[in-house]
Amino acid sequence: MKKTICVIGVGYVGLVTGACLADLGNGVICLNRDQEKCDNLKKGILPIYEPGLEELVHRNQAAGRLAFTTSYDEAMQDAEFVFIAVGTPSGTEGEADLAHVNAAATDVARRIHKPIIIINKSTVPIGTGDWVADIVREHMPDPSIPFWVVSNPEFLREGSGVYDSMNPDRIVLGSTNREAAERVAELYYPLQAETIITDLRTAEMIKYASNAFLATKISFINEMANICEALGADVKTVAYGMGTDKRIAPSFLGAGIGWGGSCFPKDVKALAFMAATHGQHPQLLRAVLEINYDQRKRVVTKLRDILGGFRGKTIGILGLAFKPNTDDMRDAPSISIIRLLRNEGAMIKTYDPVAVETAQRILNDVEYCSDPYAVAQDADALILVTEWNEFKQLDMERVRSLMRQPVLIDGRNIYDPARMRALGFIYRGMGRGYNGEGTL
Ligand code: NAD
């Protein structure tokens, strides 16, 4: 085996990172505080859904390169590298809540018995690397043992986390000690990715700036979509026309309900908070957030305009996860949309290929169906919320025939407006020509 690595946290980032580093030949032990989760992982049962991850975990467990524990003593026993990959959720003011990072850093520090590199993989506010070093210094039993803190922000996308981790666009490493950063770079050497080594704060900022830019791109195209709708243009073609320009690039130009999930909302809020508390006026970031949340209300408004109101109406929601190929429901647009509709008296039926179990912990008063056709049965309208491939291939004629009223709000612009109208749907996309009727 190459190196001995401890990964703290077995969420989307921790588990994917641990499994991938094990697959690169290292000995990895993943620490997590929840005994049941840990027992399940030992049996090969994963707490999250991520394509390809289960197979990767099983393979590396069988090869003896990947283990799980709830004991910091066991996890820290042989570790040369410790990755902190715990959650950094939004606090009440939008700031990043660092309680988990604090707890993990403290628990690690107490067990340091030989030189070690601590790597921050969680998305953390600028300056956290220095703060973690202070925590470690304060709690380590023998302050003469050297340790180094390296920032190594994660850029994986949920839904393709394993692929992204194995094929990164770049590896970003920040540290006060270049040698420590280079030792972490060696872990990633087999991936042959561009590696950017910089200082701690710059590395931390690269992550926030990247997420803020991607969120901005989506909010930008959503604002364009709304203007298209008012002026009779088709945003899908506009985005295509824009995206062919190399300076713009086509990704993150899909107009629709907007972004959600565990990263963009909290990271844009945290960056705006940091900026404001340091005397800046982050007006672009605030607009990006506002445009995004307005899109959720816009979907409901479109439907209200058609149905006249929701009391006594049954609305079918296709898709619950914040995006396809994940079961993550954190800040999913489906939650806001369902709550808005429920508040106005609608009854909700819904289906998602993988996120139902997660959704059931958040949304009750909702009928969970076993397939999309059951959602369509006797529905007064359907809203396509998550663009799962499964929904792109539905028998839409059958869908329409099952519905009480053939109203279709295509929140992700996955259907052809002309075809949907030809099938008899009252179709509304997002930014697709005058009144959302679509021009294509
Ligand atoms: P997650 O909530 O899925 O997982 C966090 C894990 O940390 C959980 O397993 C939790 O039990 C564990 N944990 C919390 N405190 C702990 C402690 N003291 N000791 C041991 N385990 C502890 O979160 P995630 O989505 O994996 O995100 C982790 C970090 O990575 C966040 O900062 C996030 O912003 C960042 N990130 C996430 C993604 C993504 O797509 N999810 C992408 C890039 C970066």
Side-chain angles (χ1 to χ4, degrees):
M1 274 188 215
K2 290 182 185 165
K3 296 282 189 271
T4 307
I5 296 168
C6 162
V7 179
I8 301 174
V10 290
Y12 293 87
V13 170
L15 193 53
V16 170
T17 301
C20 289
L21 287 170
D23 211 51
L24 296 179
N26 302 292
V28 177
I29 183 155
C30 291
L31 181 134
N32 129 70
R33 294 169 309 174
D34 183 331
Q35 189 64 51
E36 192 187 339
K37 224 190 248 183
C38 187
D39 291 343
N40 280 338
L41 278 162
K42 284 181 179 171
K43 287 184 242 156
I45 302 166
L46 274 52
I48 51 159
Y49 171 75
E50 196 57 45
L53 184 59
E54 199 172 69
E55 192 267 323
L56 197 70
V57 167
H58 292 177
R59 179 149 46 87
N60 285 286
Q61 269 178 314
R65 288 189 297 260
L66 182 61
F68 297 97
T69 184
T70 52
S71 155
Y72 269 93
D73 289 332
E74 188 186 348
M76 289 289 293
Q77 184 62 41
D78 302 316
E80 299 162 75
F81 299 85
V82 179
F83 283 79
I84 297 181
V86 299
T88 48
S90 272
T92 46
E93 303 295 318
E95 78 283 10
D97 177 349
L98 293 178
H100 297 311
V101 175
N102 189 354
T106 306
D107 281 325
V108 165
R110 291 196 173 118
R111 276 112 185 147
I112 292 179
H113 57 277
K114 60 176 184 168
I116 198 157
I117 298 182
I118 297 163
I119 302 129
N120 253 338
K121 223 175 204 331
S122 299
T123 303
V124 288
I126 289 78
T128 302
D130 298 324
W131 177 70
V132 164
D134 289 344
I135 293 171
V136 173
R137 232 172 265 120
E138 187 187 333
H139 294 282
M140 61 195 293
D142 177 356
S144 70
I145 299 174
F147 75 92
W148 302 272
V149 175
V150 174
S151 164
N152 172 212
E154 178 56 59
F155 298 96
L156 67 77
R157 297 163 297 174
E158 279 178 32
S160 54
V162 172
Y163 175 86
D164 291 345
S165 294
M166 290 303 206
N167 302 275
D169 289 336
R170 77 301 207 187
I171 306 285
V172 173
L173 298 166
S175 183
T176 46
N177 182 296
R178 190 170 175 97
E179 204 187 313
E182 281 168 357
R183 284 187 57 206
V184 180
E186 278 169 27
L187 295 176
Y188 295 112
Y189 178 74
L191 304 178
Q192 290 292 295
E194 166 147 16
T195 302
I196 299 160
I197 297 185
T198 179
D199 60 88
L200 269 172
R201 284 171 183 250
T202 305
E204 290 164 347
M205 185 64 192
I206 288 172
K207 174 63 190 174
Y208 277 103
S210 300
N211 271 4
F213 183 75
L214 293 172
T216 302
K217 220 175 157 188
I218 299 175
S219 283
F220 175 86
I221 199 67
N222 280 334
E223 184 149 301
M224 294 305 110
N226 300 341
I227 298 172
C228 283
E229 215 164 278
L231 299 179
D234 181 75
V235 76
K236 246 187 139 161
T237 314
V238 168
Y240 182 72
M242 288 170 61
T244 46
D245 184 327
K246 286 192 191 66
R247 295 167 302 174
I248 297 174
S251 55
F252 286 77
L253 284 180
I257 293 174
W259 35 270
S262 65
C263 291
F264 284 6
K266 81 172 174 64
D267 293 348
V268 178
K269 280 183 208 156
L271 185 55
F273 179 86
M274 275 182 269
T277 50
H278 285 81
Q280 303 308 304
H281 179 42
Q283 49 192 317
L284 176 61
L285 298 178
R286 287 178 183 151
V288 164
L289 284 161
E290 201 177 322
I291 292 167
N292 190 57
Y293 288 106
D294 278 353
Q295 289 304 101
R296 301 177 182 190
K297 295 180 209 144
R298 196 174 177 90
V299 173
V300 175
T301 305
K302 274 177 194 280
L303 192 52
R304 194 189 297 108
D305 287 349
I306 300 170
L307 294 180
F310 300 120
R311 198 147 295 283
K313 301 276 169 36
T314 301
I315 312 299
I317 303 290
L318 293 177
L320 291 162
F322 86 92
K323 68 174 186 178
N325 298 320
T326 181
D327 61 347
D328 199 340
M329 287 287 297
R330 287 177 282 187
D331 207 350
S334 63
I335 301 173
S336 322
I337 291 168
I338 288 173
R339 286 191 177 142
L340 286 169
L341 292 166
R342 289 280 306 135
N343 284 345
E344 293 187 42
M347 288 165 292
I348 306 293
K349 298 170 84 176
T350 182
Y351 164 78
D352 186 282
V354 302
V356 167
E357 214 181 301
T358 324
Q360 279 169 333
R361 285 181 235 133
I362 303 165
L363 294 164
N364 35 42
D365 278 355
V366 168
E367 182 186 342
Y368 292 96
C369 300
S370 55
D371 67 71
Y373 300 102
V375 175
Q377 182 79 49
D378 297 325
D380 292 287
L382 284 180
I383 306 178
L384 184 290
V385 175
T386 315
E387 65 275 38
W388 286 95
N389 277 339
E390 181 177 338
F391 299 144
K392 295 177 184 163
Q393 284 151 14
L394 292 179
D395 176 349
M396 293 307 283
E397 207 164 344
R398 183 174 162 213
V399 167
R400 198 215 58 235
S401 72
L402 291 167
M403 294 175 72
R404 194 179 297 147
Q405 298 189 65
V407 178
L408 175 60
I409 308 289
D410 182 359
R412 301 291 180 186
N413 287 342
I414 67 170
Y415 301 115
D416 175 10
R419 185 165 172 265
M420 291 305 116
R421 285 202 303 278
L423 285 172
F425 281 105
I426 299 167
Y427 173 89
R428 296 287 185 274
M430 305 293 284
R432 312 223 56 192
Y434 191 62
N435 267 346
E437 288 278 351
T439 50
L440 292 177

